[in-house]
């Protein structure tokens, strides 16, 4: 018998994540640039974030230099595209006005650090983007995948904390962070209570 899949989250029905999906009208747009190896990763978090945020999208690939949608946004004078990435000259995400929020698109590389770095090196258009970063004191609840840095966070957490900082509204995104904690606990239960490392 062939495995049945959820038409919404595109996962097998037995591991469907739709019960964790929130409904949030984010003012700042979020674009996840997802490495192909993350697309069907059972412990990935970008899909849950994307399904929860009304103003978000996922683009799959490794080199986005010729990505029409991304290049059009970058070239649009009415859109402000910024890469969420801890570069040396990155600005700390901080509250901005409603008018600025409506024009802002934050781009998140959904990949391991090693693969995200390669994506950035390959994608010439991303290298020219201004970068923003998060407070280094943020603690991750991502217990189901291996961390290589003390301040590693999942794509969902990076997204949520960036939106909290930019929109200055912690309450609005707390439900998403709570759902992510539940998602982690559920994954641990599926694996017999053992932390899974990539």
């Amino acid at each position: 018998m062939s495995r049945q899949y959820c038409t919404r989250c595109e996962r097998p029905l037995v591991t469907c994540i739709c019960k964790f999906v929130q409904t949030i009208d984010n003012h700042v747009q979020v674009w996840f640039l997802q490495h192909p190896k993350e697309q069907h990763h059972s412990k990935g978090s970008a899909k849950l974030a994307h399904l929860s945020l009304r103003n978000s999208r996922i683009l799959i690939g490794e080199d986005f230099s010729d990505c029409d949608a991304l290049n059009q946004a970058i070239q649009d004078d009415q859109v402000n595209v910024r890469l969420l990435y801890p570069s040396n000259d990155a600005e700390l995400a901080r509250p901005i006005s409603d008018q600025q929020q409506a024009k802002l698109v934050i781009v998140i590389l959904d990949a391991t650090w090693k693969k995200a770095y390669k994506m950035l090196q390959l994608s010439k258009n991303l290298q020219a983007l201004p970068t923003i970063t998060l407070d280094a004191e943020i603690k991750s609840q991502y217990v189901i995948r291996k961390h290589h840095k003390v301040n590693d966070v999942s794509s969902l957490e990076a997204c949520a904390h960036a939106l909290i900082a930019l929109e200055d509204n912690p309450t609005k995104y707390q439900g998403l962070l709570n759902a992510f904690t539940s998602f982690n606990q559920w994954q641990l239960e599926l694996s017999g209570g053992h932390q899974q490392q990539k």
Side-chain angles (χ1 to χ4, degrees):
M1 181 180 294
S2 61
R3 179 179 289 186
Q4 292 183 305
Y5 286 80
C6 173
T7 56
R8 187 183 186 193
C9 70
E10 300 178 330
R11 296 195 181 207
L13 290 179
V14 292
T15 57
C16 170
I17 62 171
C18 291
K19 60 186 174 184
F20 302 110
V21 172
Q22 308 296 295
T23 302
I24 303 173
D25 184 18
N26 51 308
H27 297 164
V28 173
Q29 284 192 59
V30 179
W31 289 21
F32 296 98
L33 305 187
Q34 188 174 68
H35 191 279
K37 289 192 175 181
E38 290 292 322
Q39 188 175 3
H40 300 295
H41 201 298
S42 63
K43 301 176 187 67
S45 66
K47 188 70 171 185
L48 176 56
H50 168 59
L51 292 174
S52 297
L53 300 172
R54 290 185 184 274
N55 296 311
S56 68
R57 65 190 303 179
I58 292 182
L59 302 174
I60 311 296
E62 190 172 22
D63 182 355
F64 290 88
S65 299
D66 297 321
C67 176
D68 290 340
L70 182 59
N71 287 330
Q72 287 173 12
I74 292 172
Q75 294 164 12
D76 189 337
D77 293 336
Q78 300 302 310
V79 179
N80 178 17
V81 183
R82 296 203 169 197
L83 178 66
L84 184 63
Y85 193 84
S87 62
N88 292 332
D89 58 350
E91 294 183 4
L92 186 66
R94 61 184 74 248
I96 57 177
S97 69
D98 291 349
Q99 184 177 14
Q100 290 173 311
Q101 291 175 27
K103 295 182 177 181
L104 181 59
V105 173
I106 56 173
V107 173
I108 296 175
L109 301 178
D110 181 48
T112 62
W113 278 115
K114 184 177 181 179
K115 290 185 174 67
Y117 179 76
K118 184 177 180 181
M119 291 165 69
L120 183 56
Q121 296 305 304
L122 291 172
S123 306
K124 304 303 182 184
N125 49 357
L126 295 182
Q127 296 174 25
L129 292 178
T131 53
I132 58 174
T133 190
L134 302 174
D135 188 328
E137 298 303 313
I138 293 172
K139 303 299 182 185
S140 177
Q141 299 302 311
Y142 204 15
V143 298
I144 55 177
R145 293 183 76 170
K146 184 176 181 180
H147 293 262
H148 295 280
K149 300 180 181 179
V150 174
N151 58 344
D152 273 358
V153 295
S154 66
S155 294
L156 181 147
E157 290 171 308
C159 166
H161 286 292
L163 291 172
I164 287 171
L166 294 164
E167 297 185 10
D168 196 20
N169 193 341
T171 303
K172 182 176 180 180
Y173 296 99
Q174 190 57 51
L176 181 58
L177 291 171
N178 291 344
F180 183 62
T181 298
S182 298
F183 167 76
N184 274 260
Q185 294 171 345
W186 173 71
Q187 286 281 6
L188 287 175
E189 290 170 3
L190 288 178
S191 64
H194 299 290
Q195 179 174 335
Q196 296 296 302
Q197 297 187 346
K198 185 172 179 180

